[in-house]
Amino acid sequence: MYPNTPNPSNSGQNPFMVQKEDEIDLKVLLFNYLQYWLLILACMFVGVVVAFMFNRYATNIFKVESSILVVDDKPSLGTDLFESSGLGMLQGKSNIENEIGILKSFSLAEEAVAELNLNVEYYKEGLISTSQIYEKLPILVSVNWRQAQLVGGKFRLEVINEDSFELRVDDDEFRIYNPSDPYYKTSPAESISLKKSVYSFGEEIKGDNYSFTINQIAALPGEIILFNLVDTPSLALKYRGELAVSPINKQASILSLSLETPVRRLGEDYINKLMEVYLDRELDEKNRASENTVKFIDEQLSGISDSLRFSENKLQKYRTENKVFNLSEEGSVIFQRMQELEKEEGQTEISLKYYQTLRDYLVTNQTGDMVAPSVVGVTDPLLNSLVQAYSELQAEQNRLSGNFTDITPAVRENATRIQNIKKQLQENVNSAISNTQNVIADLNSQIRNLEVDVNSLPKTERDLLGIRRQFEFNENIFVYLQEKKAEAEITKAANMPNNSILDFAKAGQSPVAPKRSLNLLIGLILGLILPIGFITVKDFLNTKIEDPKDLENQLKVPLIGMIGRNNSDNAIPVLNELRSSVTESFRSLRADMSYLSPQKNNLTILFTSSISGEGKTFVSINMAAAYALMGKKVMLIGLDLRKPKIAEDFGLVNDMGMSTCLSTDTPWQKVVKSTGHKHMDVILSGPIPPNPAELLLQDKFGEIVKEIKQAYDVVIFDCPPVGLVSETKELFGFADISFFVFRQGYSMKGNSQILNNLVEKGGVSKIYGILNDVHIDKGYGYGYGYGYGYGYGNNSYGYHEEVQLPWWKRALRIK
């Protein structure tokens, strides 16, 4: 019947001193959790309900997306020379990464936010949550951002009528924004309070750190609106952090812009404005080059215009006064040749001025856009490439400096490239200046040679030729500069951004959050995991004996029986509830005695435990009653002289007993009391003596026991806890069979070691374990009261009557 029932022939040594292997029974583990099925089911239901309520009232988040086509930069003539030179002057760059950096830059976000005027956020209260209003605003708040403002906290406005409203602080988590230091905000020195509570629409609401006006649009009486002020730098940081920019794939030059926001239209407007500002900035960079070109030409024209006007007036006056209008044939040939040389000289001098301007630009470390050499007629491909590369690296440095510090590796690396290009450019410019000066000197030499031929002409014609030379020279330069200016203006007018918008911002039709199905699943899983985790941790931290199998594995002696929980108020169910499962468990234990101690007509049984409260007295009394029901003559002896309990259970007075016999000459027959059952007598422990241990160790006690064994068929000792007192160890020698009582949910797991030590170190034999008060089903085979075991419980075959607990207590495992 029991897995470790001893062989009857082994009456001396304990045959059960075997090592048990630790193993995990998955079936037992499963039923350990299934006993809490109602709790787990309730938690799962709560988890799903919480997830449903979260889905119901959570703010919907929409994903807004757009796309931009980025045109890869084509290397200009000669650029590949620097990319492959190995000098580190100009490294190849990823245009896609640069454009992502620009789109994610703080300055671009700040410009977009400023143009959209998003510095006031409006909210409307709901039953549970608050939602932001973006379109169809009931009021309009105008803020004076030129003075300090309270940002972050919320104001609560309640409309009184169409002319007035009540205003108060709803959330005082304010920070003070100072326009003189816009990127640093301070905390108010004291709590914020308004000067009054009722204002009129259009009235300026002004205080130490706030100044704004609220205008009526479509607000109704009784309507409540919340709003808060947000400074532009904070908004720019917010949207910059929320914006995601990435290529649609590794090979494409198309960027996808996305933003998750609870207000779809706001997200669309922001991304569209951001792309607009991004393209405008690119166009402005192109236009700046044309504007610098026009500015340079205008500076040259301002000087040549006066010279041209003066020479024109002088020529006209000379012709009028001398009546000379045309040159002779010889003079015309000389003039034509000189005009060609002077025109070439004038253009060369413009190139020289450009080189000198470019040299001054490099020497003074200016950072503005440079005029392209091709604009002034310089066609040197190397110089053009250097100027273009230098301009691009400077623009890149400006972008990087706007987002990173000077010690950032990317900024330092780009600065090194700029210095390398600048050095090469300075050498090229100095060389070009020297060469240009030589060309001008050669042209001047040719002109001087022609001037010798001019001196052979008549004075009147010679003077006319000189005046006309000056006029034609100025006119040619003026016309040349006007042509270049027109070309630059045409270029500016024709400028278009290289990049373009493929898709304008559009929000998805369904929200990306909350993920309703996933939340319900998470709620269900958490509802399952949390109670299981709680049960696991509770069992792990539980130091009490719960599982009979665990106790059986810990013991080095057999766990011979289990006593179910007594759900009635009767302390002796064996006598009063003959069909109860508890009574049957004692009958089963009584039947096992024939195997534990065979061929004995008289039987002495000892019951002890580790501590009080484990039910050894209850087991002793009911075991005695079980033998009495057989017609055996039973004597129950209370040997717990320190804390007697038997008298209380039988309704007797503990006025005399074993302590009386041992401390006086009173014979044991005088202290025997009737239990009310004709086959069962009891000797109580008697009055508590001052020396209980010494009394039980007297030889007289052995003589009394010997006489009692001769008079009775079964003698049962109710001994004190062996874990607390010492005399019990001496009493084991008087017993044929000893039982160590444990109590489920009460005895400590370490108490099993006390029993093991009695066997291993104390030499106690014929001792077995009993688990009392079994009421928690831990798996197959132990189901007293709740389980699937021997048939003593609620699911048995109907042989026994059992006190039923309410269903909810059985489901929740409430004792």
Side-chain angles (χ1 to χ4, degrees), residues 356-409:
Q356 291 171 341
T357 302
L358 185 57
R359 180 186 61 189
D360 295 340
Y361 177 93
L362 296 172
V363 170
T364 56
N365 292 319
Q366 299 180 33
T367 58
D369 293 326
M370 293 187 295
V371 177
S374 59
V375 173
V376 293
V378 178
T379 59
D380 183 1
L382 182 59
L383 181 63
N384 273 281
S385 299
L386 286 170
V387 169
Q388 181 179 352
Y390 188 76
S391 298
E392 290 176 352
L393 288 174
Q394 273 198 325
E396 180 70 13
Q397 190 73 356
N398 291 335
R399 296 191 196 102
L400 293 173
S401 299
N403 298 290
F404 305 102
T405 62
D406 292 339
I407 62 174
T408 304

Short mmCIF file of all heavy atoms in Angstrom, two decimals, residues 356-409:
data_model
loop_
_atom_site.label_atom_id
_atom_site.label_comp_id
_atom_site.label_asym_id
_atom_site.label_seq_id
_atom_site.Cartn_x
_atom_site.Cartn_y
_atom_site.Cartn_z
N GLN A 356 43.30 88.10 -56.52
CA GLN A 356 43.68 88.85 -55.33
C GLN A 356 42.57 88.79 -54.27
O GLN A 356 42.83 88.67 -53.07
CB GLN A 356 44.00 90.30 -55.71
CG GLN A 356 45.27 90.44 -56.54
CD GLN A 356 45.47 91.83 -57.10
OE1 GLN A 356 44.51 92.62 -57.18
NE2 GLN A 356 46.71 92.16 -57.52
N THR A 357 41.31 88.90 -54.75
CA THR A 357 40.18 88.78 -53.82
C THR A 357 40.15 87.39 -53.18
O THR A 357 39.90 87.24 -51.97
CB THR A 357 38.86 89.04 -54.55
OG1 THR A 357 38.89 90.33 -55.15
CG2 THR A 357 37.67 88.94 -53.60
N LEU A 358 40.40 86.36 -53.99
CA LEU A 358 40.40 84.99 -53.49
C LEU A 358 41.54 84.80 -52.49
O LEU A 358 41.38 84.15 -51.45
CB LEU A 358 40.54 84.01 -54.65
CG LEU A 358 40.46 82.52 -54.32
CD1 LEU A 358 39.13 82.19 -53.62
CD2 LEU A 358 40.59 81.69 -55.60
N ARG A 359 42.69 85.41 -52.76
CA ARG A 359 43.82 85.31 -51.83
C ARG A 359 43.49 85.97 -50.50
O ARG A 359 43.75 85.43 -49.42
CB ARG A 359 45.05 85.96 -52.45
CG ARG A 359 46.30 85.91 -51.57
CD ARG A 359 47.43 86.70 -52.19
NE ARG A 359 47.05 88.11 -52.35
CZ ARG A 359 47.78 89.01 -53.02
NH1 ARG A 359 48.91 88.64 -53.60
NH2 ARG A 359 47.37 90.27 -53.13
N ASP A 360 42.88 87.18 -50.56
CA ASP A 360 42.49 87.86 -49.32
C ASP A 360 41.45 87.04 -48.55
O ASP A 360 41.45 87.01 -47.32
CB ASP A 360 41.93 89.24 -49.65
CG ASP A 360 42.99 90.16 -50.26
OD1 ASP A 360 44.19 89.87 -50.08
OD2 ASP A 360 42.60 91.13 -50.94
N TYR A 361 40.56 86.40 -49.28
CA TYR A 361 39.52 85.55 -48.66
C TYR A 361 40.17 84.43 -47.86
O TYR A 361 39.76 84.12 -46.73
CB TYR A 361 38.64 84.98 -49.77
CG TYR A 361 37.55 84.03 -49.31
CD1 TYR A 361 36.27 84.50 -49.03
CD2 TYR A 361 37.80 82.66 -49.15
CE1 TYR A 361 35.27 83.62 -48.62
CE2 TYR A 361 36.83 81.80 -48.74
CZ TYR A 361 35.55 82.27 -48.48
OH TYR A 361 34.56 81.42 -48.07
N LEU A 362 41.20 83.80 -48.43
CA LEU A 362 41.87 82.69 -47.75
C LEU A 362 42.73 83.18 -46.60
O LEU A 362 42.79 82.54 -45.54
CB LEU A 362 42.73 81.92 -48.75
CG LEU A 362 41.96 81.22 -49.89
CD1 LEU A 362 42.94 80.65 -50.91
CD2 LEU A 362 41.07 80.12 -49.34
N VAL A 363 43.39 84.31 -46.77
CA VAL A 363 44.28 84.82 -45.73
C VAL A 363 43.51 85.25 -44.50
O VAL A 363 43.91 85.01 -43.35
CB VAL A 363 45.12 85.99 -46.28
CG1 VAL A 363 45.88 86.70 -45.15
CG2 VAL A 363 46.10 85.49 -47.34
N THR A 364 42.35 85.87 -44.71
CA THR A 364 41.54 86.37 -43.57
C THR A 364 40.60 85.33 -43.02
O THR A 364 39.79 85.61 -42.13
CB THR A 364 40.73 87.60 -44.02
OG1 THR A 364 39.92 87.25 -45.16
CG2 THR A 364 41.65 88.75 -44.41
N ASN A 365 40.65 84.08 -43.56
CA ASN A 365 39.82 82.96 -43.04
C ASN A 365 38.34 83.30 -43.07
O ASN A 365 37.61 83.04 -42.09
CB ASN A 365 40.24 82.58 -41.62
CG ASN A 365 41.61 81.96 -41.58
OD1 ASN A 365 41.97 81.15 -42.43
ND2 ASN A 365 42.40 82.36 -40.59
N GLN A 366 37.87 83.89 -44.14
CA GLN A 366 36.45 84.17 -44.27
C GLN A 366 35.70 82.86 -44.50
O GLN A 366 36.26 81.87 -44.97
CB GLN A 366 36.19 85.13 -45.44
CG GLN A 366 36.86 86.50 -45.28
CD GLN A 366 36.59 87.41 -46.45
OE1 GLN A 366 35.52 87.35 -47.04
NE2 GLN A 366 37.56 88.25 -46.78
N THR A 367 34.38 82.87 -44.16
CA THR A 367 33.58 81.64 -44.25
C THR A 367 32.40 81.75 -45.20
O THR A 367 31.61 80.83 -45.33
CB THR A 367 33.05 81.26 -42.86
OG1 THR A 367 32.26 82.35 -42.35
CG2 THR A 367 34.19 80.96 -41.91
N GLY A 368 32.27 82.90 -45.87
CA GLY A 368 31.15 83.04 -46.80
C GLY A 368 31.41 82.28 -48.09
O GLY A 368 32.48 81.73 -48.33
N ASP A 369 30.39 82.24 -48.96
CA ASP A 369 30.53 81.55 -50.24
C ASP A 369 31.50 82.30 -51.15
O ASP A 369 31.47 83.53 -51.24
CB ASP A 369 29.17 81.41 -50.92
CG ASP A 369 28.25 80.49 -50.15
OD1 ASP A 369 28.77 79.54 -49.55
OD2 ASP A 369 27.03 80.74 -50.13
N MET A 370 32.34 81.56 -51.87
CA MET A 370 33.30 82.14 -52.80
C MET A 370 32.68 82.22 -54.20
O MET A 370 31.83 81.40 -54.56
CB MET A 370 34.57 81.29 -52.85
CG MET A 370 35.37 81.29 -51.56
SD MET A 370 36.94 80.43 -51.74
CE MET A 370 36.37 78.77 -52.04
N VAL A 371 33.16 83.22 -54.98
CA VAL A 371 32.71 83.35 -56.36
C VAL A 371 33.44 82.31 -57.20
O VAL A 371 34.65 82.14 -57.09
CB VAL A 371 33.01 84.77 -56.89
CG1 VAL A 371 32.60 84.90 -58.35
CG2 VAL A 371 32.30 85.80 -56.04
N ALA A 372 32.69 81.61 -58.03
CA ALA A 372 33.29 80.58 -58.86
C ALA A 372 34.22 81.22 -59.89
O ALA A 372 33.90 82.27 -60.46
CB ALA A 372 32.20 79.79 -59.57
N PRO A 373 35.38 80.64 -60.17
CA PRO A 373 36.32 81.21 -61.13
C PRO A 373 35.74 81.36 -62.53
O PRO A 373 36.06 82.29 -63.26
CB PRO A 373 37.48 80.21 -61.11
CG PRO A 373 37.38 79.52 -59.81
CD PRO A 373 35.92 79.45 -59.49
N SER A 374 34.85 80.41 -62.91
CA SER A 374 34.30 80.46 -64.26
C SER A 374 33.48 81.71 -64.51
O SER A 374 33.30 82.15 -65.65
CB SER A 374 33.45 79.21 -64.51
OG SER A 374 32.41 79.15 -63.56
N VAL A 375 32.97 82.33 -63.44
CA VAL A 375 32.14 83.52 -63.59
C VAL A 375 32.94 84.68 -64.16
O VAL A 375 32.42 85.49 -64.95
CB VAL A 375 31.51 83.90 -62.23
CG1 VAL A 375 30.78 85.22 -62.33
CG2 VAL A 375 30.56 82.81 -61.78
N VAL A 376 34.22 84.81 -63.83
CA VAL A 376 35.05 85.92 -64.30
C VAL A 376 35.94 85.50 -65.46
O VAL A 376 36.92 86.16 -65.78
CB VAL A 376 35.90 86.49 -63.14
CG1 VAL A 376 35.02 87.15 -62.11
CG2 VAL A 376 36.75 85.39 -62.50
N GLY A 377 35.62 84.36 -66.04
CA GLY A 377 36.35 83.93 -67.22
C GLY A 377 37.55 83.08 -66.96
O GLY A 377 38.31 82.78 -67.89
N VAL A 378 37.77 82.66 -65.73
CA VAL A 378 38.91 81.79 -65.40
C VAL A 378 38.49 80.36 -65.70
O VAL A 378 37.56 79.84 -65.11
CB VAL A 378 39.34 81.94 -63.94
CG1 VAL A 378 40.48 80.98 -63.62
CG2 VAL A 378 39.75 83.37 -63.66
N THR A 379 39.23 79.72 -66.61
CA THR A 379 38.84 78.37 -67.05
C THR A 379 39.79 77.30 -66.56
O THR A 379 39.73 76.16 -67.05
CB THR A 379 38.77 78.34 -68.59
OG1 THR A 379 40.06 78.71 -69.12
CG2 THR A 379 37.71 79.28 -69.12
N ASP A 380 40.64 77.61 -65.62
CA ASP A 380 41.57 76.62 -65.09
C ASP A 380 40.80 75.52 -64.36
O ASP A 380 40.17 75.77 -63.32
CB ASP A 380 42.56 77.31 -64.14
CG ASP A 380 43.61 76.33 -63.60
OD1 ASP A 380 43.58 75.15 -63.99
OD2 ASP A 380 44.46 76.76 -62.81
N PRO A 381 40.79 74.26 -64.88
CA PRO A 381 39.98 73.19 -64.25
C PRO A 381 40.45 72.86 -62.84
O PRO A 381 39.64 72.54 -61.97
CB PRO A 381 40.16 72.01 -65.21
CG PRO A 381 41.41 72.28 -65.95
CD PRO A 381 41.51 73.77 -66.06
N LEU A 382 41.78 72.93 -62.60
CA LEU A 382 42.29 72.61 -61.27
C LEU A 382 41.80 73.62 -60.25
O LEU A 382 41.37 73.27 -59.15
CB LEU A 382 43.81 72.56 -61.30
CG LEU A 382 44.50 72.20 -59.98
CD1 LEU A 382 44.05 70.83 -59.49
CD2 LEU A 382 46.02 72.24 -60.14
N LEU A 383 41.86 74.92 -60.61
CA LEU A 383 41.40 75.95 -59.69
C LEU A 383 39.90 75.82 -59.45
O LEU A 383 39.44 75.97 -58.31
CB LEU A 383 41.73 77.33 -60.26
CG LEU A 383 41.34 78.53 -59.39
CD1 LEU A 383 42.11 78.49 -58.07
CD2 LEU A 383 41.57 79.84 -60.12
N ASN A 384 39.15 75.57 -60.50
CA ASN A 384 37.70 75.39 -60.35
C ASN A 384 37.40 74.25 -59.38
O ASN A 384 36.53 74.35 -58.51
CB ASN A 384 37.06 75.11 -61.71
CG ASN A 384 36.69 76.38 -62.44
OD1 ASN A 384 35.68 77.01 -62.16
ND2 ASN A 384 37.54 76.79 -63.37
N SER A 385 38.10 73.12 -59.51
CA SER A 385 37.86 71.97 -58.64
C SER A 385 38.22 72.28 -57.20
O SER A 385 37.51 71.91 -56.26
CB SER A 385 38.68 70.77 -59.14
OG SER A 385 38.29 70.40 -60.43
N LEU A 386 39.36 73.00 -57.00
CA LEU A 386 39.77 73.34 -55.64
C LEU A 386 38.76 74.26 -54.96
O LEU A 386 38.43 74.08 -53.79
CB LEU A 386 41.16 73.99 -55.67
CG LEU A 386 42.34 73.06 -55.94
CD1 LEU A 386 43.62 73.86 -56.18
CD2 LEU A 386 42.54 72.10 -54.76
N VAL A 387 38.30 75.29 -55.71
CA VAL A 387 37.33 76.23 -55.14
C VAL A 387 36.04 75.50 -54.79
O VAL A 387 35.45 75.72 -53.72
CB VAL A 387 37.08 77.39 -56.11
CG1 VAL A 387 35.89 78.22 -55.65
CG2 VAL A 387 38.31 78.26 -56.23
N GLN A 388 35.57 74.63 -55.68
CA GLN A 388 34.33 73.90 -55.41
C GLN A 388 34.48 72.97 -54.21
O GLN A 388 33.61 72.91 -53.33
CB GLN A 388 33.92 73.09 -56.64
CG GLN A 388 32.62 72.31 -56.44
CD GLN A 388 32.22 71.51 -57.67
OE1 GLN A 388 32.84 71.66 -58.73
NE2 GLN A 388 31.22 70.70 -57.53
N ALA A 389 35.63 72.26 -54.15
CA ALA A 389 35.85 71.35 -53.02
C ALA A 389 35.95 72.12 -51.71
O ALA A 389 35.40 71.71 -50.69
CB ALA A 389 37.14 70.54 -53.26
N TYR A 390 36.62 73.27 -51.74
CA TYR A 390 36.77 74.09 -50.53
C TYR A 390 35.39 74.60 -50.05
O TYR A 390 35.09 74.58 -48.85
CB TYR A 390 37.71 75.25 -50.82
CG TYR A 390 38.07 76.06 -49.58
CD1 TYR A 390 38.99 75.57 -48.67
CD2 TYR A 390 37.50 77.30 -49.34
CE1 TYR A 390 39.34 76.30 -47.54
CE2 TYR A 390 37.83 78.03 -48.21
CZ TYR A 390 38.75 77.53 -47.33
OH TYR A 390 39.09 78.25 -46.22
N SER A 391 34.56 75.02 -50.99
CA SER A 391 33.21 75.51 -50.64
C SER A 391 32.37 74.40 -50.04
O SER A 391 31.65 74.60 -49.06
CB SER A 391 32.53 76.09 -51.89
OG SER A 391 33.25 77.19 -52.39
N GLU A 392 32.42 73.20 -50.63
CA GLU A 392 31.63 72.08 -50.13
C GLU A 392 32.08 71.68 -48.73
O GLU A 392 31.24 71.41 -47.84
CB GLU A 392 31.75 70.90 -51.08
CG GLU A 392 31.04 71.11 -52.42
CD GLU A 392 31.27 69.95 -53.38
OE1 GLU A 392 32.10 69.08 -53.04
OE2 GLU A 392 30.63 69.93 -54.43
N LEU A 393 33.38 71.63 -48.50
CA LEU A 393 33.88 71.25 -47.18
C LEU A 393 33.52 72.30 -46.13
O LEU A 393 33.21 71.96 -44.98
CB LEU A 393 35.39 71.06 -47.22
CG LEU A 393 35.88 69.80 -47.95
CD1 LEU A 393 37.39 69.79 -48.05
CD2 LEU A 393 35.40 68.54 -47.25
N GLN A 394 33.53 73.58 -46.52
CA GLN A 394 33.12 74.63 -45.58
C GLN A 394 31.65 74.50 -45.23
O GLN A 394 31.25 74.65 -44.06
CB GLN A 394 33.41 76.00 -46.18
CG GLN A 394 34.82 76.51 -45.93
CD GLN A 394 34.92 78.01 -46.13
OE1 GLN A 394 34.27 78.57 -47.01
NE2 GLN A 394 35.74 78.65 -45.33
N ALA A 395 30.82 74.21 -46.24
CA ALA A 395 29.39 74.03 -45.98
C ALA A 395 29.15 72.83 -45.07
O ALA A 395 28.32 72.87 -44.15
CB ALA A 395 28.63 73.87 -47.30
N GLU A 396 29.90 71.75 -45.31
CA GLU A 396 29.78 70.57 -44.46
C GLU A 396 30.21 70.87 -43.02
O GLU A 396 29.60 70.42 -42.06
CB GLU A 396 30.63 69.45 -45.04
CG GLU A 396 30.60 68.15 -44.25
CD GLU A 396 29.26 67.45 -44.34
OE1 GLU A 396 28.43 67.83 -45.20
OE2 GLU A 396 29.02 66.54 -43.53
N GLN A 397 31.26 71.69 -42.89
CA GLN A 397 31.74 72.05 -41.55
C GLN A 397 30.68 72.87 -40.81
O GLN A 397 30.49 72.69 -39.59
CB GLN A 397 33.04 72.85 -41.66
CG GLN A 397 33.75 73.09 -40.34
CD GLN A 397 34.41 71.83 -39.81
OE1 GLN A 397 34.28 70.76 -40.40
NE2 GLN A 397 35.08 71.93 -38.67
N ASN A 398 29.98 73.74 -41.52
CA ASN A 398 28.93 74.53 -40.89
C ASN A 398 27.80 73.62 -40.40
O ASN A 398 27.25 73.83 -39.31
CB ASN A 398 28.38 75.56 -41.88
CG ASN A 398 29.40 76.66 -42.19
OD1 ASN A 398 30.29 76.93 -41.38
ND2 ASN A 398 29.28 77.28 -43.36
N ARG A 399 27.44 72.61 -41.20
CA ARG A 399 26.38 71.69 -40.78
C ARG A 399 26.82 70.88 -39.56
O ARG A 399 26.06 70.72 -38.61
CB ARG A 399 26.03 70.73 -41.91
CG ARG A 399 25.45 71.38 -43.15
CD ARG A 399 24.89 70.33 -44.11
NE ARG A 399 24.66 70.87 -45.44
CZ ARG A 399 25.47 70.69 -46.48
NH1 ARG A 399 26.55 69.98 -46.34
NH2 ARG A 399 25.18 71.21 -47.66
N LEU A 400 28.06 70.38 -39.61
CA LEU A 400 28.54 69.58 -38.48
C LEU A 400 28.66 70.41 -37.22
O LEU A 400 28.32 69.94 -36.12
CB LEU A 400 29.90 68.95 -38.83
CG LEU A 400 29.90 67.88 -39.94
CD1 LEU A 400 31.32 67.48 -40.29
CD2 LEU A 400 29.10 66.67 -39.51
N SER A 401 29.13 71.63 -37.34
CA SER A 401 29.30 72.49 -36.16
C SER A 401 27.97 72.83 -35.53
O SER A 401 27.90 73.12 -34.32
CB SER A 401 30.04 73.78 -36.55
OG SER A 401 31.32 73.48 -37.06
N GLY A 402 26.91 72.83 -36.32
CA GLY A 402 25.59 73.13 -35.78
C GLY A 402 25.04 72.00 -34.93
O GLY A 402 24.09 72.20 -34.17
N ASN A 403 25.61 70.78 -35.05
CA ASN A 403 25.08 69.63 -34.33
C ASN A 403 26.09 68.97 -33.40
O ASN A 403 25.69 68.21 -32.53
CB ASN A 403 24.58 68.57 -35.33
CG ASN A 403 23.44 69.06 -36.20
OD1 ASN A 403 22.35 69.26 -35.71
ND2 ASN A 403 23.69 69.27 -37.48
N PHE A 404 27.41 69.26 -33.60
CA PHE A 404 28.42 68.60 -32.79
C PHE A 404 29.43 69.65 -32.29
O PHE A 404 29.51 70.76 -32.82
CB PHE A 404 29.16 67.52 -33.59
CG PHE A 404 28.25 66.50 -34.21
CD1 PHE A 404 27.94 66.56 -35.56
CD2 PHE A 404 27.69 65.50 -33.46
CE1 PHE A 404 27.09 65.63 -36.14
CE2 PHE A 404 26.85 64.56 -34.02
CZ PHE A 404 26.54 64.63 -35.37
N THR A 405 30.21 69.25 -31.30
CA THR A 405 31.25 70.14 -30.76
C THR A 405 32.51 70.04 -31.62
O THR A 405 32.65 69.14 -32.45
CB THR A 405 31.57 69.75 -29.31
OG1 THR A 405 32.09 68.42 -29.30
CG2 THR A 405 30.31 69.81 -28.46
N ASP A 406 33.45 70.97 -31.35
CA ASP A 406 34.67 71.01 -32.16
C ASP A 406 35.58 69.82 -31.92
O ASP A 406 36.46 69.54 -32.74
CB ASP A 406 35.44 72.31 -31.86
CG ASP A 406 34.68 73.53 -32.35
OD1 ASP A 406 33.82 73.37 -33.23
OD2 ASP A 406 34.95 74.65 -31.85
N ILE A 407 35.39 69.12 -30.81
CA ILE A 407 36.27 67.98 -30.52
C ILE A 407 35.72 66.67 -31.08
O ILE A 407 36.34 65.62 -30.94
CB ILE A 407 36.50 67.84 -29.01
CG1 ILE A 407 35.17 67.57 -28.28
CG2 ILE A 407 37.20 69.06 -28.44
CD1 ILE A 407 35.35 67.27 -26.81
N THR A 408 34.55 66.72 -31.71
CA THR A 408 33.98 65.53 -32.31
C THR A 408 34.88 65.06 -33.46
O THR A 408 35.34 65.87 -34.26
CB THR A 408 32.57 65.81 -32.84
OG1 THR A 408 31.78 66.33 -31.77
CG2 THR A 408 31.92 64.55 -33.38
N PRO A 409 35.15 63.75 -33.56
CA PRO A 409 36.05 63.26 -34.61
C PRO A 409 35.64 63.70 -36.01
O PRO A 409 36.49 64.06 -36.83
CB PRO A 409 35.97 61.74 -34.44
CG PRO A 409 35.65 61.54 -33.00
CD PRO A 409 34.77 62.69 -32.63
#
